[in-house]
Amino acid sequence: MAAVPLYVDAADIASMARVAKSLEVVVRNPAYLKAIAPWCPERPANEPNSPGGVLGFNFHIAGNAPPQLIEVNTNPGGLLLGLPIAQAVQACAPDRMQSPTDLETVEQRVVQVMAHEWLCQKGQQPLHNMAIVDDSPETQFLYPEFLLYRDLFSRYGYAARIAAPEQLLHHGGKLCLDGPDGLEVDMAYNRLTDFSLHEPSHASLREAFAAGHVAVSPHPHALYADKRNLTLLSDHAFLHNAGLPQDTVDILLASVPTTVQLNAENRDRLWSERRQWFFKPATGFGSRASYRGDKLTRRVWDDMPSMPYVAQALVVPGQRHLQTDAPPLKFDIRCFAYAGEPVLFLARLYQGQTTNFRTPNGGFSPVLTLRDSA
C-alpha cells in the first residue's frame, strides 16, 4: 500500500461516476453489441442477465480535461486490500475531507453484489458454497485479497474456498471441487485473466457455466474488457449513429481517449506518430506487453502483429509529490463500480511506464475529496 492518500477534486469524482453509468447504457445498445461481434468470443446462449460483477474503471487525470478512461477491468483487484487503509486514513483526515463513497458499507455492498449476481443467474435457489478461482492462487501477488474475500463470504454465512481451476470438475450436472465426490460449487468468484475461459485448464468452469450448472461472477464476456471496445467508445460517428442518449455520447467523447485498432493500413502512420500513442494488446491485462510509443523499439514493433493491438492517444498520468527532495510518483485512479454505481475509489501510485507494485511508497492509495460543505 502507498504511504500517502491522493486528493481528488469532487468534480472529477462525479465525472468518473458518470462514465461508469454511461458505459452501462452502451453495453445494452444493439448497435454496440453488433459492432463488437467480430472480436467478442461466442457468447453462450444462456448468458445470464446480470451486470457481471464489480468492474474497475481506470482513469488518468489530465489537466483541465475530464478524467480520461484508460481501460476497464472485469476482475479488478485491490478493493478489499485498499479498504482498511482507506478507513484508517479517513479516520484521521481533517473534517473537511472524506472518501468519495461510504467506506462502512463497502463489504456489505460486495456481498450484496454476489447475492444479486446469484439471483440474476440462478433465481431463488439457495446459495451455499462459493469458490474463489484463479490460476495457482497461492502464487498470485494479490493472494492476500483472496483470503479477505474468503473470510468476508464466510462471515455472511457462505462456505468459501480458494481454488485453482484444475481442482474443479464438471460432472453429473454440477461443478465439484476436488473430484466427483467433493464439494459442490454453487458460485465461482472469478479472478481468472482468461476472460473468455478458453484455456484448456478452464474447461470445467466454462462447461459448467455454459450449462447453467454454476453461477460465475464476473462472468465471461467481452462487453467491457476487450480494449477494442474503446475504439467504439471514442468514435464520434459510431456513438452518434448508435441511437444513444445525447448525454451519454457527450460524456464518452469527453472522457475516452481516441483509440484505434492497429492494422496493416495504419501501421506506418502509427509508427511515425508513435510518441503520441500508447499501445496495448486488445485482450491483455496488468499492463503486460503494453508500451508507451516513445519507449517502443523497432524489434518489439515488428513482433506486435502476432496479436491484436490497439493504439490509444497518450494521456500523461498525473503526479503525486511526496517530498521536495524526491521525484514525484505517477498515479491513476480506479473506480470500482457495480451496475454503474461506484463502490470505492482507489489510486495507484507508481514510477515507470505502467502501473506496478514495485515502487517504494507506491501501490494502492486511498482517495480523499472535499466534503460538499467545504
Side-chain angles (χ1 to χ4, degrees):
M1 299 299 296
V4 296
L6 184 74
Y7 303 100
V8 180
D9 190 276
D12 287 336
I13 295 293
S15 179
M16 289 184 276
R18 286 193 294 270
V19 172
K21 178 70 75 174
S22 296
L23 197 56
E24 291 302 308
V25 176
V26 175
V27 298
R28 287 160 179 75
N29 178 270
Y32 176 80
L33 296 175
K34 181 178 180 180
I36 69 171
W39 58 78
C40 180
E42 184 178 353
R43 295 160 66 185
N46 65 336
E47 183 177 30
N49 184 29
S50 72
V54 174
L55 305 178
F57 296 82
N58 294 346
F59 292 89
H60 283 178
I61 294 182
N64 294 323
Q68 299 293 290
L69 179 67
I70 303 304
E71 61 187 35
V72 182
N73 296 116
T74 55
N75 59 352
L79 193 156
L80 290 189
L81 278 178
L83 178 60
I85 189 67
Q87 291 171 328
V89 166
Q90 178 167 274
C92 60
D95 290 342
R96 66 182 185 276
M97 306 299 297
Q98 66 178 359
S99 171
T101 61
D102 183 357
L103 300 181
E104 297 306 313
T105 63
V106 168
E107 289 188 339
Q108 181 181 3
R109 291 185 67 185
V110 168
V111 175
Q112 288 172 343
V113 164
M114 300 304 287
H116 186 251
E117 291 285 296
W118 171 261
L119 180 66
C120 291
Q121 297 186 36
K122 303 293 285 185
Q124 298 295 333
Q125 299 180 49
L127 170 59
H128 297 296
N129 303 321
M130 301 176 68
I132 301 158
V133 182
D134 201 356
D135 292 313
S136 304
E138 293 84 358
T139 68
Q140 295 293 336
F141 183 77
L142 294 183
Y143 178 69
E145 185 169 57
F146 299 169
L147 299 175
L148 293 175
Y149 274 100
R150 184 191 65 186
D151 293 346
L152 174 62
F153 296 149
S154 298
R155 278 190 275 126
Y156 277 81
Y158 305 115
R161 298 272 298 275
I162 300 169
E166 295 87 352
Q167 294 176 259
L168 301 173
L169 176 66
H170 183 218
H171 174 78
K174 58 185 180 180
L175 186 67
C176 299
L177 181 63
D178 295 329
D181 298 321
L183 182 73
E184 181 177 353
V185 176
D186 301 318
M187 187 173 195
Y189 170 43
N190 177 23
R191 291 292 291 259
L192 295 163
T193 54
D194 172 22
F195 301 120
S196 58
L197 301 180
H198 277 178
E199 294 182 13
S201 60
H202 305 157
S204 285
L205 182 59
R206 180 181 68 249
E207 293 166 3
F209 171 70
H213 295 154
V214 68
V216 177
S217 181
H219 57 69
H221 54 60
L223 298 181
Y224 302 95
D226 195 301
K227 295 176 181 62
R228 285 167 288 197
N229 300 347
L230 296 167
T231 67
L232 304 174
L233 300 178
S234 62
D235 186 325
H236 184 280
F238 171 78
L239 293 175
H240 277 283
N241 293 332
L244 291 162
Q246 187 60 47
D247 61 339
T248 299
V249 173
D250 293 341
I251 289 167
L252 294 175
L253 289 178
S255 305
V256 183
T258 298
T259 308
V260 298
Q261 292 192 58
L262 180 62
N263 56 44
E265 288 72 31
N266 62 21
R267 273 184 60 82
D268 290 342
R269 176 177 63 83
L270 292 175
W271 171 254
S272 66
E273 300 174 355
R274 61 191 180 279
R275 293 179 180 274
Q276 305 171 32
W277 299 93
F278 202 106
F279 298 88
K280 304 177 181 181
T283 59
F285 62 93
S287 300
R288 298 183 183 182
S290 297
Y291 306 96
R292 273 184 57 145
D294 57 352
K295 308 294 184 183
L296 193 58
T297 67
R298 188 73 205 203
R299 180 187 62 79
V300 171
W301 177 258
D302 290 341
D303 289 341
M304 283 166 56
S306 63
M307 66 175 70
Y309 262 82
V310 301
Q312 185 177 73
L314 180 64
V315 181
V316 178
Q319 295 184 334
R320 172 65 160 98
H321 291 264
L322 296 159
Q323 48 193 352
T324 57
D325 58 348
L329 300 184
K330 301 172 184 177
F331 72 84
D332 70 0
I333 297 176
R334 173 168 287 179
C335 170
F336 296 88
Y338 181 66
E341 296 296 330
V343 175
L344 182 69
F345 288 85
L346 290 176
R348 295 183 295 179
L349 306 185
Y350 65 98
Q351 287 177 336
Q353 215 182 141
T354 58
T355 53
N356 60 74
F357 295 96
R358 298 182 300 275
T359 303
N361 296 318
F364 288 115
S365 168
V367 169
L368 292 175
T369 190
L370 286 173
R371 293 185 185 275
D372 294 339
S373 59

